[in-house]
């Protein structure tokens, strides 16, 4: 079993090097090339561990596709251009987006589709839905073209570094193996400096936990630099918080239920909430304009999801109508995905507020 193989590997590694930084533990749990969670399975849907917005309804991907189409037109209809998705799941979002984009003359013909995906299982699912795609191991491999990009529930799975405020300063949180279990522990000495933390977090009370995600800000800055230089637009959609703040948001999902992130590495989806303020700062460092973040519910409503739901329901049988109503509520409701999920837009510098960000 992949879980047993990863457990043994982590135990050996800790025995050889000492407690692992939490970011290293998370990276191995999710992406170990042989035993990592995303490498060994398709985690989506009822049979998996979680369901993403594109799997809830076609409306989500269609509206994202039309948002990108609007940005493509506003950018002068560049051709050729790269249409990219980071962490594309089963390819459902891109397939729905492409269907919507086909209503815009010339857009699909000018696009080359690019997926950033490391999971062999998910690449197969993506290939079945979007056979024309090209695959990459990292965003850095995307071509030097105008870039129109989607990242839905991608940044939450990037490894986070955690620090805890102690009497001796901010100490990094690590993972040790004790009494037959993986457990969080603190590094024996404080971090060299606290500049990695947001300024409003550094003076948090003793005992507070703070998170950073260097991989997330590096990727956001790179995307922004590409858009600033070549043109394009991007949407980052994820669950997270608007302002940097202290707190432990590390969590695990298994069979659609919350689990202990340290209980069964490689067998559960381990994520952390996205710091959208940090991402927006990274976008600006990259030279692009950052819009938002705004909540997913109001964003989709501004794009016309209610009207789209009404059109879909018009000729649907009663069971399908109920499914459409349920999907609409799940995607936009404040008690569902509508408030928890945020949307950050990226455009070239000087661009006005795009649709959904007015």
């Amino acid at each position: 079993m992949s879980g047993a193989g990863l457990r043994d590997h982590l135990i050996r590694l800790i025995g050889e090097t000492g407690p692992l930084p939490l970011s290293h533990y998370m990276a191995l749990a999710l992406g170990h090339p042989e035993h990592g969670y995303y490498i060994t399975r398709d985690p989506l849907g009822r049979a998996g561990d979680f369901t993403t917005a594109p799997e809830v309804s076609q409306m989500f991907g269609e509206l994202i596709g039309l948002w990108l189409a609007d940005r493509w037109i506003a950018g002068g209809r560049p051709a050729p251009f790269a249409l990219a998705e980071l962490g594309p799941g089963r390819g459902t979002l891109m397939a729905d987006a492409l269907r919507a984009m086909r209503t815009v003359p010339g857009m699909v013909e000018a696009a080359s589709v690019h997926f950033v995906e490391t999971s062999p299982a998910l690449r197969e699912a993506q290939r079945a839905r979007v056979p024309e795609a090209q695959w990459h191991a990292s965003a850095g491999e995307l071509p030097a073209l105008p870039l129109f990009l989607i990242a839905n529930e991608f940044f939450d799975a990037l490894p986070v570094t955690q620090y805890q405020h102690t009497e001796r300063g901010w100490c990094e949180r690590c993972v040790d193996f004790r009494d037959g279990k993986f457990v969080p522990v603190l590094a024996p000495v404080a971090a060299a400096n606290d500049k990695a933390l947001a300024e409003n977090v550094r003076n948090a009370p003793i005992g507070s936990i703070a998170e950073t995600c260097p991989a997330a800000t590096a990727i956001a800055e790179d995307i922004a630099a590409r858009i600033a230089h070549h043109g394009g637009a991007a949407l980052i959609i994820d669950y997270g918080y608007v302002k940097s703040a202290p707190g432990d948001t590390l969590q695990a999902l298994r069979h659609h239920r919350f689990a202990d992130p340290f209980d069964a590495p490689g067998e559960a989806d381990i994520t952390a909430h996205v710091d959208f303020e940090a991402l927006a700062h990274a976008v600006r460092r990259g030279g692009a304009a950052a819009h938002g973040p705004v909540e997913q519910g109001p964003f989709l409503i501004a794009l016309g999801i209610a009207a789209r739901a009404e059109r879909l329901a018009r000729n649907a049988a009663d069971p399908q109508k109920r499914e459409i109503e349920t999907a609409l509520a799940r995607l936009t409701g404040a008690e569902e995905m509508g408030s928890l999920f945020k949307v950050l837009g990226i455009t070239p510098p000087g661009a006005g507020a795009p649709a959904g960000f007015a």
Side-chain angles (χ1 to χ4, degrees):
M1 295 291 292
S2 62
L6 183 59
R7 176 185 171 88
D8 292 343
H9 174 73
L10 289 169
I11 291 170
R12 283 196 306 272
L13 196 57
I14 290 170
E16 293 167 359
T17 66
L20 299 175
L22 175 66
S23 57
H24 193 180
Y25 168 86
M26 186 175 173
L28 289 171
L30 297 177
H32 184 279
E34 186 177 354
H35 305 298
Y37 173 80
Y38 285 119
I39 304 302
T40 58
R41 73 202 67 214
D42 177 349
L44 294 161
R46 291 181 182 177
D49 296 313
F50 59 91
T51 301
T52 60
E55 304 293 331
V56 171
S57 171
Q58 68 185 71
M59 297 184 290
F60 184 82
E62 290 170 346
L63 290 175
I64 299 305
L66 292 175
W67 187 92
L68 291 174
D70 176 70
R71 291 293 87 204
W72 181 70
I73 294 169
R77 302 174 185 260
F81 72 91
L83 177 61
E85 185 174 359
L86 309 183
R90 292 173 172 166
T92 304
L93 192 163
M94 184 61 77
D96 292 337
L98 285 167
R99 185 172 60 253
M101 289 174 188
R102 288 191 178 95
T103 64
V104 180
M107 184 175 185
V108 171
E109 292 76 12
S112 58
V113 180
H114 300 266
F115 285 157
V116 174
E117 179 61 72
T118 58
S119 167
L122 288 174
R123 282 192 178 196
E124 285 305 307
Q126 294 153 16
R127 188 171 286 108
R129 290 170 175 80
V130 190
E132 68 269 33
Q134 302 173 49
W135 281 265
H136 308 276
S138 71
E141 297 177 5
L142 294 172
L145 292 170
L147 177 64
F148 293 81
L149 180 141
I150 313 159
N152 180 65
E153 290 202 55
F154 170 80
F155 283 87
D156 64 283
L158 296 175
V160 293
T161 300
Q162 285 188 340
Y163 301 92
Q164 187 162 346
H165 202 187
T166 72
E167 295 290 351
R168 53 185 193 274
W170 286 94
C171 293
E172 187 171 359
R173 294 187 92 203
C174 300
V175 179
D176 202 356
F177 188 74
R178 299 178 180 177
D179 300 322
K181 296 187 298 184
F182 295 103
V183 293
V185 298
L186 292 182
V189 296
N193 63 67
D194 57 9
K195 299 302 183 186
L197 303 179
E199 192 170 343
N200 64 317
V201 173
R202 292 174 201 161
N203 296 321
I206 299 296
S208 298
I209 292 175
E211 294 174 344
T212 66
C213 189
T217 51
I219 292 170
E221 186 171 345
D222 177 62
I223 291 167
R226 289 168 178 269
I227 289 172
H229 184 71
H230 298 290
L235 286 176
I236 297 173
I237 307 171
D238 228 310
Y239 54 87
Y241 42 98
V242 173
K243 293 287 185 183
S244 300
D248 177 6
T249 72
L250 191 74
Q251 64 185 37
L253 275 178
R254 191 175 185 185
H255 306 313
H256 297 270
R257 299 189 179 201
F258 287 108
D260 183 345
F262 306 105
D263 183 42
E267 294 296 317
D269 182 38
I270 304 176
T271 61
H273 287 214
V274 173
D275 182 345
F276 276 92
E277 183 175 27
L279 288 188
H281 285 319
V283 167
R284 296 184 187 106
R285 283 197 304 273
H291 305 274
V294 298
E295 293 182 349
Q296 177 177 290
F299 177 76
L300 293 176
I301 289 168
L303 296 191
I305 192 171
R308 179 57 178 152
E310 183 180 344
R311 284 196 296 274
L312 287 173
R314 197 169 294 155
N315 298 316
D318 287 343
Q320 284 71 46
K321 287 181 181 178
R322 287 192 292 272
E323 288 178 6
I324 294 166
E325 291 171 2
T326 299
L328 178 63
R330 188 168 180 186
L331 291 172
T332 63
E335 69 287 354
E336 297 275 356
M337 303 173 85
S339 290
L340 176 62
F341 281 74
K342 311 297 190 297
V343 186
L344 182 71
I346 305 173
T347 64
F357 295 98

